[in-house]
């Protein structure tokens, strides 16, 4: 009853305690119920009811027995003593109320922070799934079309297409398992497949694009160095998505991947010449596809930017700029840093 109807319980406790005092029974620990009811009403109910009871109680407990002719008038010392006790009670109650409100606010902030982090993790998982599935399934679709076209007249070439489908499927399963390992709880086994890295996995990405009919040339400028994991993974995914779009929308084209290691930034640029595949839709003129939106979000999340659009002399260009820490300076002797 105290939790569900704090004001009603306070009124009942106030009335019964006042009646006990006015009748003249021996005083004792009769105030405990009234104190607990007051604190509960101040914390859970409207504060005006609790503070009003406090003011009424100071007058009633001092003067009601005298007005009814059952006791003498209270002295100044008694009035000051009761006022001091009520002040202590009000101060402690306010302290407990403020402490409870701060605890609830801190708990609310923690829950909002947990929800925000969960949302960021869901977005990261969605981006990874899109990159993995879109890339590999697009290659599988292209190779399946090639295999169906060649299976009757050139079965040997169809075998190569089926081999590429098998390899792409195997890699898709491995990367999908790696992405889903993000959902593992602490203490679970470590992921079996490492996260993709630009320097280590770019050759395999180029080979898969070549199997889909895209001739890719890779050029690296600057001094290659280890990259932060987020930058490394984002650069690989951007290159992967760009080559996937080329294989999907411009089959038979020639592409160039330029990786530039700058002093304070990594640049990844993918160009194609437009391709020769008939009947294939071209990318949006302003670079507004869903995959390009995901690439822009990746770059923006890391403090970088991504530009995508048609080239003046035909084809399409995707260029990402990702900030990284400056490269460490080499010692004067020219040895390793």
């Amino acid at each position: 009853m105290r939790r569900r109807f704090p004001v009603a319980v306070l009124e009942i406790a106030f009335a019964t305690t006042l009646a006990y005092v006015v009748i003249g029974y021996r005083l004792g620990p009769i105030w405990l119920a009234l104190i607990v009811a007051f604190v509960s009403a101040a914390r859970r109910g409207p504060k005006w009811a609790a503070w009003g009871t406090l003011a009424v109680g100071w007058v009633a407990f001092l003067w009601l027995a005298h007005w009814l002719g059952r006791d003498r008038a209270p002295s100044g010392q008694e009035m000051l003593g009761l006022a001091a006790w009520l002040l202590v009670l009000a101060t402690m109650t306010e302290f407990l109320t403020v402490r409870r409100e701060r605890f609830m606010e801190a708990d609310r902030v923690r829950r909002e922070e947990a929800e925000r982090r969960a949302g960021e993790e869901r977005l990261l998982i969605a981006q990874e799934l899109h990159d993995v599935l879109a890339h590999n399934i697009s290659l599988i679709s292209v190779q399946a079309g090639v295999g169906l076209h060649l299976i009757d007249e050139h079965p040997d070439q169809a075998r190569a297409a089926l081999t590429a489908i098998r390899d792409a499927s195997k890699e898709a399963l491995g990367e999908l398992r790696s992405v889903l390992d993000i959902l593992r709880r602490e203490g679970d086994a470590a992921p079996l497949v490492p996260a993709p890295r630009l320097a280590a996995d770019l050759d395999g990405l180029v080979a898969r694009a070549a199997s889909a009919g895209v001739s890719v040339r890779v050029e690296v400028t600057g001094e290659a160095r280890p990259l932060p994991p987020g930058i490394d993974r984002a650069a690989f995914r951007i290159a992967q998505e760009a080559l996937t779009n080329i294989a999907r929308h411009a089959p038979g084209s020639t592409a160039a991947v330029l990786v530039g290691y700058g002093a304070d930034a990594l640049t990844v640029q993918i160009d194609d010449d437009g391709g020769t595949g008939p009947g294939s839709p071209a990318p949006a003129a302003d670079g507004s596809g869903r995959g390009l939106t995901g690439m822009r979000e990746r770059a923006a999340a890391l403090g970088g930017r991504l530009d995508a659009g048609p080239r003046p002399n035909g084809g399409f260009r995707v260029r990402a700029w990702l900030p990284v820490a400056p490269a460490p300076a080499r010692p004067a002797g020219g040895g390793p840093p």
Side-chain angles (χ1 to χ4, degrees):
M1 294 291 292
R2 176 174 60 87
R3 292 184 176 91
R4 295 181 60 186
F5 308 104
V7 176
V9 169
L10 174 61
E11 293 174 352
I12 294 173
F14 179 85
T16 54
T17 305
L18 180 61
Y20 185 95
V21 172
V22 170
I23 292 174
Y25 288 117
R26 179 179 299 178
L27 297 180
I30 61 169
W31 312 100
L32 294 179
L34 181 57
I35 292 174
V36 173
F38 172 80
V39 173
S40 297
R43 295 175 60 183
R44 300 175 181 272
K47 286 192 173 184
W48 62 264
W51 299 118
T53 303
L54 207 65
V56 173
W58 184 81
V59 176
F61 280 99
L62 286 174
W63 294 96
L64 185 59
H66 173 68
W67 292 338
L68 295 177
R70 303 185 62 88
D71 198 359
R72 59 177 176 81
S75 64
Q77 184 178 1
E78 290 174 338
M79 289 188 290
L80 290 176
L82 181 58
W85 280 110
L86 295 180
L87 181 61
V88 171
L89 176 61
T91 303
M92 292 300 299
T93 302
E94 190 65 18
F95 171 77
L96 294 175
T97 302
V98 172
R99 183 179 179 182
R100 179 172 180 265
E101 290 176 352
R102 288 181 178 178
F103 176 80
M104 294 176 62
E105 178 66 16
D107 183 67
R108 182 186 64 82
V109 171
R110 283 194 298 268
R111 286 188 279 105
E112 290 181 353
E113 181 67 15
E115 292 176 358
R116 183 186 64 82
R117 291 180 179 177
E120 292 177 352
E121 290 181 358
R122 286 194 294 269
L123 178 60
L124 175 62
I125 293 171
Q127 289 176 338
E128 292 289 334
L129 287 176
H130 171 271
D131 293 340
V132 170
L133 297 179
H135 170 71
N136 289 285
I137 292 179
S138 295
L139 293 182
I140 291 172
S141 176
V142 171
Q143 292 295 340
V146 173
L148 289 174
H149 179 71
L150 300 175
I151 192 169
D152 293 329
E153 300 178 0
H154 304 282
D156 293 337
Q157 297 181 21
R159 181 185 298 274
L162 294 177
T163 302
I165 291 175
R166 182 197 62 190
D167 295 339
S169 302
K170 182 178 179 180
E171 181 176 358
L173 290 175
E175 290 198 27
L176 184 60
R177 186 182 297 112
S178 177
V179 171
L180 295 181
D181 278 331
I182 298 175
L183 301 177
R184 290 183 181 271
R185 298 179 179 177
E186 294 184 2
D188 290 349
L192 299 179
V193 179
R197 298 172 56 236
L198 182 65
D201 300 315
L202 183 59
D203 292 340
L205 186 63
V206 169
R208 290 191 298 274
S211 68
V214 179
S215 177
V216 183
R217 174 178 58 87
V218 177
E219 180 180 348
V220 179
T221 61
E223 184 178 355
R225 63 182 186 272
L227 299 171
I231 298 291
D232 206 352
R233 183 171 59 250
F236 175 84
R237 292 303 187 195
I238 289 172
Q240 183 184 56
E241 178 68 22
L243 291 177
T244 299
N245 289 339
I246 295 173
R248 183 188 304 163
H249 300 297
S253 64
T254 299
V257 178
L258 286 76
V259 180
Y261 290 88
D264 58 356
L266 175 73
T267 303
V268 179
Q269 179 175 312
I270 302 93
D271 295 323
D272 71 89
D273 59 4
T276 58
S280 296
D286 58 351
S288 58
R290 181 173 299 178
L292 294 175
T293 300
M295 288 192 284
R296 287 195 179 95
E297 291 176 351
R298 280 185 179 274
L302 297 170
R305 64 179 182 269
L306 184 138
D307 300 318
R311 300 166 62 196
N313 55 349
F316 202 77
R317 167 174 293 176
V318 174
R319 188 176 190 275
W321 181 87
L322 304 173
V324 295
R330 289 188 176 276

